[in-house]
Amino acid sequence: MKPARFTAIAAAVAITPALLFAVPALATDGGAPKASAPAVSATDGPQAEEDRAAISRILANPYIGPGLREAAQKALDGTPEEMRDFLEVGQHKERLIDDQVRVSRIIGLGGPGVKEAGQKALKGTPEDIVAFLETGQHTARFADDSVRTSQVFSTGGPAVKKAAKEALRTNTPQALQAFLESWQYTARLTDDRDRVTRIAAAGGPAVKAAAAKALKGTPEELRQFLDVGQDEARAKDEAAKKKPAPVKKPAAVKKPAAKR
């Protein structure tokens, strides 16, 4: 493998995360690039025709990696010898490099289990890498999501615990992913609103006013009240209690009216 290829693999971890799960569009108006097959030469034999068709089929797959696509197009534009070399050797090298790049990207975004499984695959055979991409990454991600859900359960409020328990009971990748990406935040909002309401009920005037404002605001404002705002409002209430009451001036004594 050329040094430039190793550089490409190492740099792939920093590539925009959205590229990891992006699926190339099918060959419609804005789909995968179409192969520009050269005109058939009169000197091409049956083998060259078969090779050209085989390379065209590779290029028609919208899911192949960029390295394989570039090498396939170059071979298709080349000589019969170059096409044969690509089919026998080149395509396997390019596919391996593309797969290594994909694994590196997945490692960069994955949890502990995904990282461990991905690194193990990179140290293994091409078959190990394919197995990781097809099944291993999903098995490892499921295990990571189970651990994360259990961690959220242990630190969450009543609503969060209930949602996490349901996800763990269902125990499917879809349920765990839904909890981690959506359900936990909805449940946390319920817990936060309940906490703010209880704090307001037991608080002084400043606490009640700050809590009422938070309850009318965004989830971030609720969290800010719980983290900081309630303490600031409580300090205001304490300061108001310690402030001495204003001294009332004695009422003026009315002088009796003079007798005429």
Side-chain angles (χ1 to χ4, degrees), residues 92-114:
H92 306 297
K93 290 182 178 180
E94 296 298 335
R95 185 174 283 108
L96 174 60
I97 293 172
D98 284 337
D99 287 348
Q100 288 171 328
V101 170
R102 287 182 60 199
V103 172
S104 296
R105 292 173 181 168
I106 293 169
I107 289 174
L109 295 173
V114 170

Side-chain angles (χ1 to χ4, degrees), residues 11-23 102 104-106 108-110 141:
V13 177
I15 296 176
T16 306
L19 293 177
L20 170 59
F21 301 107
V23 178
R102 287 182 60 199
S104 296
R105 292 173 181 168
I106 293 169
L109 295 173
R141 187 173 294 110

Side-chain angles (χ1 to χ4, degrees), residues 3 22 40 45 72 92 94 117 121 125 138 169 176-177 179 202 217 225 252 259:
V40 179
H92 306 297
E94 296 298 335
T125 64
H138 306 298
R169 185 194 66 79
L176 293 176
Q177 187 176 10
F179 171 79
F225 171 82
K259 294 183 180 180

Side-chain angles (χ1 to χ4, degrees), residues 206-207 210 224-239:
V207 169
Q224 195 277 338
F225 171 82
L226 291 170
D227 292 342
V228 180
Q230 65 168 317
D231 296 324
E232 294 176 346
R234 195 171 288 112
K236 291 180 181 179
D237 284 332
E238 292 297 325

Side-chain angles (χ1 to χ4, degrees), residues 7-235:
T7 302
I9 296 170
V13 177
I15 296 176
T16 306
L19 293 177
L20 170 59
F21 301 107
V23 178
L26 295 176
T28 55
D29 292 341
K34 297 180 179 180
S36 56
V40 179
S41 171
T43 60
D44 285 351
Q47 184 61 59
E49 286 298 313
E50 292 178 9
D51 290 349
R52 181 173 287 104
I55 296 174
S56 296
R57 286 193 295 271
I58 292 173
L59 284 168
N61 181 356
Y63 304 114
I64 65 174
L68 179 58
R69 180 174 296 282
E70 180 181 355
Q73 187 61 63
K74 182 178 180 181
L76 193 64
D77 294 336
T79 64
E81 291 76 16
E82 289 171 331
M83 290 192 296
R84 178 104 303 263
D85 180 71
F86 168 79
L87 290 171
E88 292 180 348
V89 180
Q91 67 163 318
H92 306 297
K93 290 182 178 180
E94 296 298 335
R95 185 174 283 108
L96 174 60
I97 293 172
D98 284 337
D99 287 348
Q100 288 171 328
V101 170
R102 287 182 60 199
V103 172
S104 296
R105 292 173 181 168
I106 293 169
I107 289 174
L109 295 173
V114 170
K115 290 181 186 296
E116 181 180 357
Q119 289 164 353
K120 182 178 179 181
L122 286 177
K123 294 177 181 178
T125 64
E127 290 75 20
D128 292 331
I129 290 177
V130 171
F132 171 80
L133 291 172
E134 292 181 351
T135 59
Q137 65 163 317
H138 306 298
T139 301
R141 187 173 294 110
F142 181 41
D144 283 338
D145 287 350
S146 296
V147 172
R148 286 180 58 200
T149 301
S150 298
Q151 291 170 340
V152 174
F153 172 86
S154 66
T155 59
V160 169
K161 288 183 183 297
K162 181 179 179 181
K165 187 175 181 179
E166 177 61 23
L168 289 169
R169 185 194 66 79
T170 304
N171 199 35
T172 64
Q174 295 78 11
L176 293 176
Q177 187 176 10
F179 171 79
L180 292 170
E181 294 181 356
S182 176
W183 296 351
Q184 67 163 317
Y185 302 110
T186 302
R188 184 173 291 119
L189 178 59
T190 299
D191 285 333
D192 286 350
R193 294 185 67 85
D194 289 344
R195 285 184 62 196
V196 173
T197 300
R198 289 195 301 270
I199 292 170
V207 169
K208 291 181 184 296
K213 183 179 179 181
L215 287 169
K216 294 178 182 178
T218 64
E220 291 73 21
E221 289 171 325
L222 280 173
R223 177 53 49 183
Q224 195 277 338
F225 171 82
L226 291 170
D227 292 342
V228 180
Q230 65 168 317
D231 296 324
E232 294 176 346
R234 195 171 288 112

